[in-house]
Amino acid sequence: MSTTTTSQTPENEEPAGPPEAAQARPARLIQNEATTEIPVHLLFRDDPDPVSLPLRPAVVARRQGTGEQPRFRRPLPAKPRPAPEVDPELVERAARVLPGTAGVLAGSCGLAGCLATSWWAGVLPPLAADALRLPVYAGAGLGPAQWAAYAGAGALGLFGFGGLARGRTGRAWVLGLFGRYRGTVRRTGLMWVNPLLLRRRVDVRLRHWRSEPMPAADANGVALRVAVLVVWRVRDTARATLGVEDHETYLRECVEAALTRVPVEPPGGAKGAAEPAVDALTRLVAADSGPVGIEVFSVQPLRVEYAPEVAAAMTRRRIATLDAQQRATMLTSVVDSVEDTVTRLTMRGLVELDDYERKALVKDLTVAFCSGRGEAAP
């Protein structure tokens, strides 16, 4: 009896065939909603040269419900804050002026020319002629030559007297002609400046500015109101006057911006804790206002208080903290006093106490000391 053995091919196993059939069969592909088509044999390719077979990225997005982890991009580094810049050619330089005697001399010459022209035209009053001791002259009348002499002498007098200016200590003049910067005058005393130039007076003295309460915050983000004292002066008059519209307003805005970036010590803070905030505020304000010709020496908070919307809550919190500290201090003092009393009574042999009596004595002494401290506290 012969036994016939039948071999069954599994469903998942492919039947063996000739090599030509295997080469003609298409390669297996992996394809779904979140991946591109990748041949299976390329996943395990040992060829190190990928140039001949360019591939696109497999996973292009996260498929919902598949459990695939998203690919997070590395955050880009923060860009540095750009520093304020002003026209580099706008730098303070000395203006050309003359001593005041030159203006007085030119004005006097113009006035004398007007008087001489009046005497020449015969329109000078007799009293003025007698006062000036001029000879009697009938005059040639007012003709074109006389009017030209009047115009020249009058222009010279106006140009001489109109350019006189008085320079003061701690003040400077910024001069401009038709919108162009012509220089700065820091001289003092009487001087002559071209009257056609536009003058802007600038205070270059050391100045103190006390601000109104400005919004700020502490290290925990609690809203505060801070009044600061700024010590500053104008170092470059050209940039302070022409670089910004109003350098005082610009300085105030720089202080407000610095207060939003630097945490301020809240009221009742530890002594010496405000020094880092003062240094940081001074450094930031000086860096922001330096390019416009303002030199800042100190930015110091004078009065720090909580904002109206949180003032009541923070006051209650502060009172509760002080009360807790006082109670802890009083309790420590009472416990020390009770311990010292019981120890002295026992060591000197004044009383002999068992555990129950010791506990009762400690309780009574604690109540008595706490009541005494509570009455004496107010």
Side-chain angles (χ1 to χ4, degrees), residues 57-220:
V59 179
V60 297
R62 180 180 180 181
R63 184 179 178 186
Q64 297 182 356
T66 59
E68 181 184 345
Q69 296 298 326
R71 297 183 179 182
F72 296 98
R73 294 183 179 180
R74 181 177 299 178
L76 297 177
K79 295 182 179 180
R81 185 171 57 90
E85 297 181 0
V86 184
D87 186 2
E89 298 182 358
L90 187 61
V91 181
E92 179 181 337
R93 61 178 183 271
R96 297 179 180 179
V97 295
L98 297 177
T101 54
V104 174
L105 181 60
S108 301
C109 291
L111 182 60
C114 290
L115 293 176
T117 303
S118 299
W119 176 79
W120 178 28
V123 295
L124 186 66
L127 295 178
D130 295 340
L132 297 175
R133 296 180 181 181
L134 296 176
V136 178
Y137 179 67
L142 293 175
Q146 287 76 15
W147 285 115
Y150 268 127
L156 180 61
L158 292 177
F159 204 73
F161 288 123
L164 293 177
R166 182 181 61 175
R168 299 181 180 179
T169 303
R171 303 294 178 89
W173 292 97
V174 178
L175 307 181
L177 180 62
F178 303 117
R180 183 179 179 183
Y181 174 63
R182 304 297 296 178
T184 300
V185 180
R186 289 180 178 262
R187 295 177 56 179
T188 58
L190 186 64
M191 55 188 170
W192 183 85
V193 183
N194 188 351
L196 300 179
L197 298 177
L198 178 63
R199 310 174 191 178
R200 297 183 181 180
R201 185 180 293 274
V202 181
D203 192 346
V204 295
R205 297 174 295 180
L206 187 66
R207 303 173 64 181
H208 294 72
W209 173 61
R210 180 169 181 171
S211 70
E212 65 278 2
M214 296 182 176
D218 61 1
N220 297 324

